[in-house]
Amino acid sequence: MNNKTLKKILVVVAVIVVAGLCWLGCCRNRIGYVDAQAIVARSEAFRNLQVEQQIKSSELEKWMNASNKELKKATSEAKRKEMLAKLQAELTQKQLAMRAEFSAKATQAEEELMNLIKKVADKKCLKVVLSKATVVTGGVDITDDVIALMGNSEDGKATEEKSQESVDTEEVTDEVTAEDSQDEASKD
């Protein structure tokens, strides 16, 4: 082997080693957290779901009031009991259908929210994301990033740029904090 080939191989190996070390430095075991209440409060999907639930509850209440009026018009006790049984069965069926529909839509909204949280966590190289209520100290708050991603689903490039700026700032902050900790330790 000649000197030029050996130098090229060493450069390639050095680049691979440096790239690997950079990747390991970026994706160290970091923990993030989100304020789920803040995210749900700002989520249009959850607001729409709540409004829809209120409308359906109001419609059900109107139906119950109309049914109650019809029940009072019954002429005999036997007819009243028959109508009451029929109305109770219909009420139960409507309530079950309403709950099932709400549950399905809530599950879909939760899955979409979880996907957004996963996207932000991947961009920030977070291995774990917890609820803010369970974190006492430390961690990276990604609540605002998730909210921004929720609001800019059609404008994902601007959100990605903002998230990348946030990641860069956090890495510099982490490095400065680590250096400060080492300086304090060496003083002791």
Side-chain angles (χ1 to χ4, degrees):
M1 253 198 253
N2 63 23
N3 245 359
K4 277 186 166 181
T5 308
L6 185 60
K7 284 182 181 180
K8 285 180 183 180
I9 292 173
L10 288 175
V11 168
V12 170
V13 169
V15 168
I16 292 171
V17 168
V18 169
L21 291 174
C22 288
W23 181 80
L24 287 173
C26 170
C27 292
R28 58 190 179 268
N29 285 335
R30 293 177 58 192
I31 297 175
Y33 64 89
V34 293
D35 184 348
Q37 290 178 336
I39 292 173
V40 169
R42 290 208 170 148
S43 169
E44 191 170 330
F46 281 100
R47 279 193 302 253
N48 291 342
L49 188 59
Q50 186 178 22
V51 167
E52 185 179 327
Q53 188 69 8
Q54 289 171 345
I55 290 170
K56 292 198 182 257
S57 293
S58 177
E59 290 172 355
L60 186 61
E61 188 176 335
K62 287 178 185 177
W63 176 84
M64 287 173 42
N65 289 337
S67 297
N68 215 6
K69 288 179 184 177
E70 290 296 318
L71 189 60
K72 288 181 181 179
K73 290 179 184 178
T75 54
S76 69
E77 189 65 30
K79 184 151 181 115
R80 184 173 300 174
K81 285 183 180 181
E82 179 185 327
M83 284 179 67
L84 183 61
K86 190 176 186 181
L87 290 173
Q88 284 177 335
E90 192 173 343
L91 174 64
T92 300
Q93 183 180 12
K94 287 180 183 243
Q95 287 175 328
L96 290 174
M98 194 169 90
R99 284 185 195 133
E101 182 180 355
F102 177 80
S103 179
K105 288 182 178 181
T107 299
Q108 180 183 1
E110 288 172 4
E111 286 174 0
E112 290 171 5
L113 178 61
M114 291 306 233
N115 287 335
L116 291 175
I117 291 170
K118 286 177 185 174
K119 282 182 183 178
V120 172
D122 288 345
K123 286 179 187 173
K124 292 193 174 233
C125 293
L126 300 174
K127 299 295 180 189
V128 177
V129 177
L130 303 171
S131 170
K132 182 179 180 180
T134 62
V135 177
V136 176
T137 184
V140 178
D141 186 357
I142 63 170
T143 303
D144 291 336
D145 296 305
V146 174
I147 290 170
L149 194 59
M150 266 187 332
N152 295 327
S153 58
E154 66 277 349
D155 188 13
K157 289 183 181 176
T159 303
E160 286 179 17
E161 290 171 8
K162 182 179 176 186
S163 292
Q164 186 58 44
E165 287 174 15
S166 179
V167 167
D168 294 342
T169 304
E170 286 171 6
E171 287 176 357
V172 170
T173 304
D174 288 347
E175 289 171 9
V176 169
T177 304
E179 288 172 5
D180 290 344
S181 296
Q182 289 174 351
D183 289 343
E184 288 177 22
S186 64
K187 288 178 184 177
D188 293 337

